[in-house]
Amino acid sequence: MEGRRIVFWDAPGRQRIITARIALSQHLTPLLSTLCTHTKSHGGVKGTIRALSSVIGNFSFVARFDVASYYDSIQHDILLAQLERVNVPKETLDVVRQYLGVPDTRGTGMGLTAGGSLSSLLGALYLHPLDMAFQRLMTGRRIFYRRYMDDIVILAETRHLLRTAVRMVHRVLSTVMLRVHDKQKRYIGRTTEGFDFLGYRLHPHRRLRPSYESTRRLKERARRLYEQGASMTRLRLYVVRWWRWLLGGLDGLVCRKGGVKRYWTRVFTHLDILDPGVRQQVCNGL
């Protein structure tokens, strides 16, 4: 695709990456805060949503952010200094330097390959100062904080505490040369208004629902499959699998109103097939 680079590692290179990943995991896993939930054994998406659901009713205010151009903005010198402070071996640091050079074709000293085999751990470490700042702030205060990759959510009992927490986010991010996204990708307000996080819509007095963005992506991906010639059977299977993912790991916390048929109808309507007989037949297919 235009604007993207595809890099192929030879066999020795792949082995060096695997060895580096193991070494990084050994060094970083004991260090990284459990408040950073995308790392192994820290809960993942579903664990984060379960934790939010269990406490949201105890808090009045919420701030939800994501970091602007997170992977593209990571500063190599800051990241390498962080790795040196935790005594990562020199040979592992050398591999990381080569790894950082893959997306940095212009020598800017910035950028990290999103989705790369080392990126999850390196991305977790880069915002470790933010996790630790909140770990201290939460002690003795009515604040809840979680971070998944570059997605951040904060719950607070009072407006004053929320403002304190938001100022901390901006202050810590500035020390690592990052900033939060613009107003279209953040929300600050009352929890009773509901908010989106990690593909779900959360509200203190309702069951979970898919977020608007999650539903939009479902419909758009289904449209791409349809345009590529996918059969109705394949499209239905795609929607069923999405529905199972939505429910999975959340122990009955998700609203089941209308079931999978509700979302299949939305997808099929989005495809805009004009024959009304076909529309009715397919919508009754689940």
Side-chain angles (χ1 to χ4, degrees):
M1 296 179 67
E2 186 178 352
R4 295 186 180 182
R5 294 179 71 219
I6 299 176
V7 176
F8 296 96
W9 298 88
D10 59 16
R14 287 195 296 271
Q15 187 57 50
R16 286 195 296 271
I17 290 289
I18 292 170
T19 302
R21 186 176 66 233
I22 294 170
L24 282 175
S25 180
Q26 291 173 344
H27 276 83
L28 300 183
T29 299
L31 167 69
L32 295 173
S33 171
T34 56
L35 301 178
C36 173
T37 59
H38 74 267
T39 53
K40 187 177 180 180
S41 76
H42 287 186
V45 170
K46 300 308 178 83
T48 306
I49 296 299
R50 285 196 303 270
L52 273 169
S53 297
S54 68
V55 302
I56 187 174
N58 301 326
F59 296 92
S60 299
F61 299 95
V62 58
R64 179 242 180 267
F65 307 100
D66 63 2
V67 179
S69 304
Y70 181 47
Y71 282 106
D72 289 340
S73 301
I74 286 178
Q75 304 287 320
H76 297 172
D77 56 346
I78 294 176
L79 178 58
L80 291 168
Q82 291 174 328
L83 290 167
E84 289 175 354
R85 282 197 292 272
V86 295
N87 299 317
V88 169
K90 182 182 181 301
E91 57 269 24
T92 303
L93 279 173
D94 290 341
V95 174
V96 171
R97 287 191 181 94
Q98 296 174 42
Y99 183 84
L100 294 175
V102 170
D104 190 16
T105 57
R106 298 182 180 178
T108 63
M110 297 168 54
L112 182 64
T113 303
S117 57
L118 304 183
S119 297
S120 176
L121 283 166
L122 296 175
L125 178 66
Y126 198 75
L127 279 182
H128 182 63
L130 183 64
D131 302 332
M132 297 308 296
F134 270 95
Q135 198 160 300
R136 293 188 294 270
L137 183 64
M138 290 167 61
T139 304
R141 296 180 179 89
R142 295 282 292 167
I143 292 180
F144 176 96
Y145 161 91
R146 290 294 187 275
R147 174 173 70 90
Y148 186 94
M149 295 285 194
D150 61 330
D151 288 301
I152 299 163
V153 65
I154 304 162
L155 304 178
E157 190 175 45
T158 67
R159 196 183 301 273
H160 172 72
L161 278 175
L162 188 69
R163 287 173 177 167
T164 299
V166 170
R167 284 195 298 269
M168 177 175 287
V169 170
H170 289 290
R171 184 169 64 250
V172 175
L173 288 184
S174 68
T175 66
V176 290
M177 308 294 287
L178 297 175
R179 60 180 180 84
V180 298
H181 245 302
D182 57 26
K183 292 182 179 179
Q184 292 181 345
K185 292 193 174 183
R186 65 185 183 194
Y187 173 75
I188 299 176
R190 289 187 172 272
T191 56
T192 51
E193 296 297 320
F195 63 96
D196 295 345
F197 194 65
L198 298 183
Y200 290 87
R201 181 74 178 173
L202 293 109
H203 191 283
H205 306 302
R206 300 174 191 165
R207 290 185 182 274
L208 296 167
R209 288 170 170 78
S211 66
Y212 169 81
E213 180 64 16
S214 182
T215 305
R216 185 194 68 78
R217 289 181 180 179
L218 168 71
K219 293 187 291 187
E220 287 304 311
R221 288 169 181 167
R223 172 172 287 280
R224 286 199 294 270
L225 285 173
Y226 176 68
E227 291 173 347
Q228 292 165 9
S231 66
M232 290 297 115
T233 299
R234 184 180 175 191
L235 288 171
R236 282 198 300 269
L237 181 59
Y238 171 69
V239 176
V240 168
R241 287 174 174 169
W242 176 88
W243 173 249
R244 289 173 179 167
W245 174 87
L246 188 75
L247 301 178
L250 292 173
D251 305 321
L253 297 175
V254 180
C255 176
R256 290 175 172 264
K257 183 178 179 180
V260 65
K261 183 177 178 180
R262 177 182 186 181
Y263 297 98
W264 170 238
T265 302
R266 290 186 185 182
V267 164
F268 189 72
T269 301
H270 179 70
L271 297 179
D272 198 26
I273 297 174
L274 299 179
D275 187 323
V278 175
R279 290 173 67 93
Q280 188 61 44
Q281 180 182 1
V282 173
C283 286
N284 291 333
L286 284 177

